[in-house]
Amino acid sequence: MRVLVACEYSGRVRDAFIAKGHEAMSCDLLPTEVVGPHYQGDVRDVLDYPWDLMIAHPPCTDLSVSGAAWFEKKKMNGSQQMSASFFMMLAKCDIPRIAIENPICIMSRLWRKPDQIIQPWMFGHMEQKATCLWLKNLPVLHPTNDVKSQMMELPKNKRERLHYLPPSDDRWKLRSMTFQGVADAMAEQWWTA
């Protein structure tokens, strides 16, 4: 299967599919953090390749409800409309199977509700971070290692570690990276979809 992982610099999802024997490439404006097939540039440059599956992680800065306090400014300067348009361009691609990943965001109102909301703790990570999946011709992901009960015993600042990260130049990168358990579940469950 030919898999495009759009807007991914970490290589996690890409490498999970490669480990299963698939042709997979990540694409991002940033260089990849792990050596592997990666196109550094605009994803629109590679969308017409005959991909079987695209997993897209469009930027959420202007869409996520966690930034609602800045929505008016983002509407005024056009950044929210541009981000929503980019999201929809990915959703409407002529690729047979598509998964678009984003946090709780305005796309539920602008387009449609997600097909699934997953949590890292469903896939073995002692963390809480709601992530929406909009799916085209793909099944919902089934939990692989539910650790919610153990996670709930942790203090709130530990189970919501990403929310409590201190300001830094890399904060956005740390908050946006796909959890390895989620990447592995995608490769395990979607390769035959």
Side-chain angles (χ1 to χ4, degrees):
M1 183 165 63
R2 296 177 300 265
V3 182
L4 172 63
V5 186
C7 311
E8 180 192 53
Y9 62 88
S10 72
R12 281 192 177 168
V13 177
R14 174 200 70 205
D15 291 348
F17 277 90
I18 289 173
K20 293 287 183 189
H22 300 287
E23 175 189 329
M25 182 181 82
S26 55
C27 174
D28 199 277
L29 296 174
L30 298 173
T32 184
E33 291 187 340
V34 178
V35 175
H38 181 76
Y39 176 71
Q40 184 178 347
D42 192 321
V43 68
R44 290 170 274 221
D45 297 343
V46 296
L47 283 179
D48 287 334
Y49 185 79
W51 303 108
D52 299 304
L53 166 64
M54 176 177 66
I55 300 168
H57 310 274
C60 64
T61 303
D62 299 320
L63 304 175
S64 175
V65 296
S66 64
W70 298 275
F71 276 0
E72 198 54 43
K73 179 181 177 187
K74 292 173 183 191
K75 287 177 188 172
M76 293 299 287
N77 69 20
S79 62
Q80 190 172 80
Q81 294 88 337
M82 183 180 69
S83 293
S85 180
F86 182 71
F87 183 109
M88 290 307 302
M89 181 270 308
L90 293 170
K92 293 178 179 181
C93 283
D94 188 24
I95 296 173
R97 297 170 197 87
I98 297 174
I100 299 181
E101 175 274 338
N102 238 236
I104 306 291
C105 69
I106 64 169
M107 296 312 295
S108 296
R109 180 178 46 83
L110 291 179
W111 181 37
R112 66 176 176 84
K113 298 218 177 290
D115 296 286
Q116 183 177 22
I117 299 176
I118 60 172
Q119 290 278 356
W121 49 258
M122 298 165 76
F123 304 93
H125 298 278
M126 302 282 275
E127 306 229 18
Q128 191 166 304
K129 181 189 176 208
T131 303
C132 299
L133 297 175
W134 287 265
L135 306 171
K136 172 185 167 186
N137 295 325
L138 289 169
V140 296
L141 285 179
H142 296 287
T144 56
N145 183 13
D146 190 326
V147 295
K148 183 179 183 180
S149 59
Q150 300 97 302
M151 183 210 60
M152 292 306 287
E153 294 173 9
L154 296 174
K156 186 174 183 178
N157 68 327
K158 297 289 186 197
R159 66 179 184 256
E160 294 182 19
R161 176 187 62 86
L162 295 173
H163 177 74
Y164 289 100
L165 285 173
S168 73
D169 291 341
D170 287 345
R171 185 175 194 263
W172 68 272
K173 273 182 148 183
L174 297 169
R175 287 175 52 90
S176 68
M177 198 173 299
T178 302
F179 286 87
Q180 189 63 56
V182 174
D184 292 341
M186 290 174 172
E188 182 68 36
Q189 297 177 36
W190 287 346
W191 74 272
T192 59

